[in-house]
């Protein structure tokens, strides 16, 4: 097994508070990853600001810090513990943003901590809407027509150029926060200002709307020698316009022709290989025009996502657990298949002969 023996201690960054519209899937992935790494004899240090999680139970990790998810907290941990690597892909967008902040501040470099499971280029490419759009054009992958606005006036100009309906997508936000569809020009000003204010970098992508198109997702895993597998396809019961986290979703996809699935599969692998050279999990979202068969990429998350938890439970393939293994150097073809246990390797894609449905629940009581 090619595990990287130089990694003896890892810091896992959690996702912070769980709020309405953001479920507990990152707690699931963080707990799974911690157990997976400790099996390898690696010391796991974990930071999360939410005490009401499984991952912050004393049995989950070697060192647990209930601290704000800030650079200051990270520095305090690195001063106290010798950390070899940081795994930021288990804590959603919050963890990725914090990892980027620490990288920009030179914290990882100062304390000789390397990032595993993802790299800075991949995070920047997928979260910066303009970099993402340019990278997709470079890879010849279809995206919606749109441009970046860093100011109110530029946003207005782009809207006039593209025409309505439009969608506004703020950069570096969790769960589509601050984004939305705009059908009429009279609603655009408020939506644009809201999106700019929600983005931590005051930046939004203004693009053509695909409201009403079918929405699909693919969950991928890639190791450090280039093996890529599709764990699961997921279909959103609601069309484009309802966030995946709020939609009923079905695994595997029910109404997807095999030709379109194969096209999406090839595109997903091309995109994952194109955004950066890292071993870890990835979630890709597509919009498909059922009338024409046209496929558009909506976004790529270079991390374990909320859909990854659904895919794990649907297939029995523990994505976060395996993502942690490959992040420390194992390859998929050398790990035992977590579903069959023997006979095949983890590089075999799961087959579903049943369907799993996720229905959101809103426990306001």
């Amino acid at each position: 097994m090619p595990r990287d023996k130089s990694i003896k201690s890892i810091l896992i960054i959690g996702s912070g508070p769980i709020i309405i519209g953001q479920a507990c899937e990152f707690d699931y992935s963080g707990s799974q990853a911690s157990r997976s790494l400790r099996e390898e004899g690696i010391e796991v240090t974990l930071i999360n600001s939410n005490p009401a999680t499984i991952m912050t139970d004393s049995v989950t990790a070697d060192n647990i810090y209930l601290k704000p998810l800030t650079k200051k907290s990270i520095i305090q941990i690195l001063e106290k513990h010798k950390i070899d690597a940081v795994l930021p892909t288990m804590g959603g967008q919050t963890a990725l943003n914090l990892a980027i902040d620490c990288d920009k501040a030179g914290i990882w470099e100062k304390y000789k901590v390397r990032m595993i499971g993802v790299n800075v280029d991949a995070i920047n490419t997928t979260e910066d809407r303009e970099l993402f759009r340019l990278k997709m054009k470079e890879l010849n992958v279809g995206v919606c027509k749109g441009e970046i606005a860093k100011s109110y006036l530029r946003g207005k100009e782009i809207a006039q150029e593209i025409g309505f309906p439009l969608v506004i997508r703020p950069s570096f936000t969790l769960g589509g926060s601050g984004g939305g569809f705009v059908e009429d020009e009279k609603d655009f000003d408020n939506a644009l200002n809201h999106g700019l204010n929600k983005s931590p970098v005051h930046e939004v992508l203004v693009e053509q709307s695909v409201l009403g198109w079918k929405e699909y997702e693919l969950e991928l895993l890639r190791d450090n020698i280039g093996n890529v597998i599709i764990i699961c396809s997921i279909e959103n019961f609601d069309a484009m316009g309802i966030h995946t986290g709020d939609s009923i979703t079905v695994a595997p996809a029910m109404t997807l022709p095999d030709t379109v699935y194969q096209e999406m599969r090839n595109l997903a692998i091309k995109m994952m290989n194109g955004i950066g050279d890292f071993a870890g999990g990835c979630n890709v979202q597509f919009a498909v025009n059922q009338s024409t068969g046209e496929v558009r990429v909506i976004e790529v998350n270079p991390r374990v996502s909320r859909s990854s938890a659904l895919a794990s439970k649907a297939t029995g393939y523990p994505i976060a657990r395996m993502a942690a293994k490959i992040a420390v150097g194992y390859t998929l073809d050398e790990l035992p298949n977590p579903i069959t246990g023997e006979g095949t390797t983890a590089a075999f894609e799961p087959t579903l002969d049943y369907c799993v449905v996720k229905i959101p629940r809103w426990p306001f009581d």
Side-chain angles (χ1 to χ4, degrees), residues 43-286:
E43 181 185 36
V44 175
T45 301
L46 190 149
I47 178 171
N48 199 19
S49 59
N50 184 0
T53 53
I54 302 298
M55 71 194 300
T56 49
D57 287 358
S58 58
V59 295
T60 306
D62 298 291
N63 311 300
I64 293 169
Y65 286 89
L66 281 167
K67 284 180 173 288
L69 294 171
T70 62
K71 289 181 287 188
K72 182 181 176 183
S73 299
I74 297 292
I75 290 169
Q76 288 172 350
I77 291 171
L78 298 182
E79 289 282 353
K80 190 171 179 183
H81 300 277
K82 172 68 179 84
I83 303 289
D84 297 316
V86 59
L87 183 63
T89 54
M90 302 297 162
Q93 196 56 54
T94 304
L96 288 190
N97 287 351
L98 179 54
I100 284 288
D101 287 345
C102 289
D103 184 73
K104 286 178 180 172
I107 293 169
W108 304 133
E109 188 179 4
K110 178 182 176 182
Y111 291 94
K112 296 182 173 55
V113 177
R114 57 181 148 133
M115 202 181 293
I116 59 173
V118 71
N119 59 28
V120 173
D121 285 346
I123 299 172
N124 285 331
T125 300
T126 53
E127 294 305 328
D128 183 305
R129 298 294 182 182
E130 181 64 2
L131 287 177
F132 179 70
R133 192 176 67 84
L134 293 173
K135 175 56 76 173
M136 293 305 104
K137 286 184 79 171
E138 179 191 317
L139 296 172
N140 199 27
V141 172
V143 290
C144 299
K145 184 181 178 184
E147 282 189 49
I148 283 293
K150 297 195 178 197
S151 70
Y152 172 80
L153 286 176
R154 182 62 190 134
K156 291 280 282 184
E157 288 171 3
I158 296 166
Q160 294 302 322
E161 290 164 16
I162 299 174
F164 292 85
L166 293 167
V167 64
I168 292 173
R169 298 179 177 281
S171 293
F172 293 95
T173 62
L174 175 67
S177 176
F181 291 90
V182 184
E183 294 290 319
D184 300 309
E185 193 168 351
K186 63 180 172 57
D187 301 321
F188 183 72
D189 291 5
N190 286 339
L192 176 61
N193 276 323
H194 182 60
L196 286 167
N197 291 331
K198 279 286 185 181
S199 169
V201 292
H202 201 70
E203 175 184 286
V204 298
L205 173 63
V206 181
E207 70 178 6
Q208 72 179 106
S209 168
V210 286
L211 189 68
W213 290 31
K214 291 285 287 184
E215 185 174 1
Y216 299 96
E217 297 177 71
L218 294 182
E219 291 292 328
L220 295 79
L221 272 182
R222 181 182 64 186
D223 63 24
N224 58 19
I225 60 170
N227 290 316
V228 182
I229 60 170
I230 311 295
I231 304 297
C232 191
S233 64
I234 298 172
E235 177 170 346
N236 285 249
F237 183 81
D238 299 291
M240 287 294 299
I242 304 294
H243 190 271
T244 302
D246 302 338
S247 177
I248 296 170
T249 52
V250 186
M254 296 280 112
T255 65
L256 192 59
D258 189 58
T259 50
V260 181
Y261 170 72
Q262 295 302 330
E263 181 185 352
M264 281 168 36
R265 189 181 191 282
N266 292 338
L267 288 172
I269 293 171
K270 183 198 282 189
M271 285 185 287
M272 193 172 186
N273 289 332
I275 62 172
D277 184 21
F278 63 92
C282 196
N283 161 263
V284 185
Q285 295 170 17
F286 294 95

Side-chain angles (χ1 to χ4, degrees), residues 218-222 228-234 251-253 258 261-262 265 307-320 322 332 335-341 344-356:
L218 294 182
E219 291 292 328
L220 295 79
L221 272 182
R222 181 182 64 186
V228 182
I229 60 170
I230 311 295
I231 304 297
C232 191
S233 64
I234 298 172
D258 189 58
Y261 170 72
Q262 295 302 330
R265 189 181 191 282
S307 300
S308 306
L310 171 67
S312 293
K313 292 167 187 174
T315 60
Y317 194 106
I319 294 174
M322 303 310 287
L332 287 165
L335 287 167
N337 191 309
I339 299 175
T340 61
T344 57
T345 70
F348 278 69
E349 295 182 350
T351 303
L352 273 71
D353 56 358
Y354 51 88
C355 75
V356 173

